Amino acid sequence: MTTAAKPRAAVELMEGYHSPQLDVEVRLNTNESPFAPPAAFTAALGAAIAALDLHRYPDRSAIELREALAAHHGVRRDQVFAANGSNEVLQTLLLAFAGPGRSTLVFEPTYALHSHIARLTGSEVVIGERSSDFTLDTDVAATFVAAAAPAVTFLCSPNNPTGCAERADVIEAVAAATPNLVVVDEAYGQFAPSSAIGDVREGGNVVVVRTFSKTWALAGLRLGYVVAPSDVVATLEKVALPYHLDAIKQVAGVLALGYDAEMRERVATLVAERERTFAALRALDVEVWPSDANFVLFRPRSRSGAEVWDALVERSIVVRNCASWPGLSGCLRVTIGTRDENDRFLEALTEVLAP
Ligand SMILES: *Cc1c(COP(=O)(O)O)cnc(C)c1O
């Protein structure tokens, strides 16, 4: 029997967001860090949790965490808003600035959650397209934004799942083409050569979203934040649920920022592994795109993406199947893992693609 209660149409028509959590040996499908955070961090976190007053509500404004994040980026505390993963930051931004009767613009192919959360929160989604090499042309993008006049425009730099960072002139031209919010999702920001955080200014319309899930090796913590003009942050605070950020997460975030050098080391290791994996992929029968992040997009030439995905799972390796995503037919995305994991992936793929 199904319940008689009907969900909202926007929800009923929607497929959930699924990245299968398979029990395999090599998991290269969700762009997590293959390395654990430093043991010293975990030990310090244990001690900090033991000292918390867990019978009390947490600091509702997460002052210490926001101060630490502000210091990390050289901005003010009132220019930072944190939430449970950057997806919740995106949801809060969309609830506040998009929603019913307003539109949200994405340039496909890009991160599926941008349009997904926009629709869930009642906004119409306008789709712009990237060039065939997945870059954005400055004039084409700016003209499109000006004509569509969206309430929120998403850019993703580096772009998931295609890998390339957005050029600074594209971000600036898009921001100049609209008075409304331009959200730059920098989930992979530390892997990239540049950041848009320098474009965030009081009275401006650029906001930059970051997460602890990738470079900080803390996907299990669920912590993300946005650097934004202070009036935008004040608006987000009105939308967030009271005490939305728990006390454990607040101390964990502060402590994690103390291990910046270790984070940079992990990033450097992964960048070297990414270049090695990219070079190896180029020698195989696949089309492959250069990446500024910790993943690489590729398209097998002689077999379908779905077949290759299945054959890799049979070898206990899971990558992301993007074959049905807009503009990505036949494509797969591999997260850069440890050297051993990347070798296992490359060996299996070589075997699968052998004539
Ligand atoms: C992984 C990812 C995120 C991270 O989401 P969290 O909710 O912080 O785990 C955000 N944006 C993009 C583009 C991503 O790839």
Side-chain angles (χ1 to χ4, degrees):
M1 268 219 346
T2 50
T3 162
K6 286 250 175 242
R8 290 162 47 218
V11 176
E12 196 173 31
L13 296 174
M14 176 163 275
E15 287 182 41
Y17 176 76
H18 301 296
S19 184
Q21 292 194 307
L22 299 181
D23 189 13
V24 293
E25 287 162 19
V26 181
R27 281 162 38 183
L28 302 176
N29 62 331
T30 45
N31 298 344
E32 294 148 311
S33 165
F35 308 114
F41 160 79
T42 316
L45 178 59
I49 291 172
L52 286 175
D53 286 330
L54 284 176
H55 58 118
R56 298 292 182 193
Y57 279 112
D59 174 9
R60 203 173 57 204
S61 324
I63 298 288
E64 278 182 45
L65 173 62
R66 288 165 63 202
E67 251 162 21
L69 287 165
H72 183 75
H73 289 296
V75 299
R76 300 196 323 244
R77 178 179 88 200
D78 63 359
Q79 296 175 315
V80 178
F81 169 84
N84 296 285
S86 56
N87 286 328
E88 192 180 64
V89 175
L90 300 176
Q91 184 189 59
T92 311
L93 281 162
L94 288 163
L95 282 171
F97 290 93
R102 294 184 166 209
S103 66
T104 300
L105 193 161
V106 297
F107 290 98
E108 297 286 3
T110 191
Y111 186 49
L113 273 264
H114 293 161
S115 52
H116 181 83
I117 303 172
R119 288 194 183 98
L120 264 184
T121 50
S123 166
E124 185 200 331
V125 174
V126 181
I127 295 172
E129 271 164 36
R130 293 170 180 278
S131 313
S132 58
D133 64 356
F134 299 136
T135 60
L136 275 180
D137 178 86
T138 312
D139 295 335
V140 172
T143 306
F144 192 85
V145 171
V152 171
T153 300
F154 277 108
L155 295 173
C156 189
S157 183
N159 187 41
N160 180 8
T162 62
C164 76
E166 226 60 272
R167 292 192 323 274
D169 63 295
V170 171
I171 295 171
E172 279 156 26
V174 165
T178 173
N180 298 332
L181 222 53
V182 175
V183 178
V184 185
D185 186 336
E186 290 191 354
Y188 307 93
Q190 295 92 337
F191 290 107
S194 64
S195 166
I197 289 179
D199 293 334
V200 177
R201 56 183 80 87
E202 290 299 298
N205 60 345
V206 173
V207 307
V208 176
V209 178
R210 290 252 173 141
T211 177
F212 282 75
S213 295
K214 314 287 164 57
T215 52
W216 290 102
L218 288 169
L221 187 66
R222 311 303 301 127
L223 180 60
Y225 59 97
V226 62
V227 179
S230 56
D231 56 341
V232 171
V233 168
T235 301
L236 299 178
E237 283 172 334
K238 289 193 213 165
V239 175
L241 295 172
Y243 312 110
H244 70 293
L245 211 57
D246 66 80
I248 294 174
K249 190 167 314 194
Q250 293 188 31
V251 295
V254 173
L255 288 172
L257 293 171
Y259 297 86
D260 184 56
E262 289 82 350
M263 182 273 283
R264 286 179 194 286
E265 234 168 84
R266 288 192 301 273
V267 167
T269 303
L270 290 170
V271 166
E273 275 298 300
R274 177 189 76 206
E275 292 311 304
R276 190 178 73 86
T277 304
F278 178 73
L281 281 168
R282 282 185 69 155
L284 295 176
D285 191 19
V286 301
E287 200 176 342
V288 56
W289 287 271
S291 170
D292 296 306
N294 66 335
F295 53 82
V296 178
L297 185 74
F298 65 99
R299 179 191 277 138
R301 288 204 178 92
S302 52
R303 297 190 65 181
S304 80
E307 275 173 351
V308 171
W309 189 85
D310 285 340
L312 289 172
V313 171
E314 275 166 31
R315 288 160 179 80
S316 208
I317 298 167
V318 64
V319 298
R320 195 66 192 267
N321 186 357
C322 312
S324 63
W325 296 11
L328 294 179
S329 79
C331 287
L332 302 174
R333 185 196 69 195
V334 62
T335 302
I336 301 303
T338 62
R339 190 176 178 92
D340 277 0
E341 288 173 330
N342 302 331
D343 280 340
R344 277 200 56 182
F345 159 72
L346 289 166
E347 277 158 30
L349 184 65
T350 306
E351 193 182 293
V352 169
L353 294 176

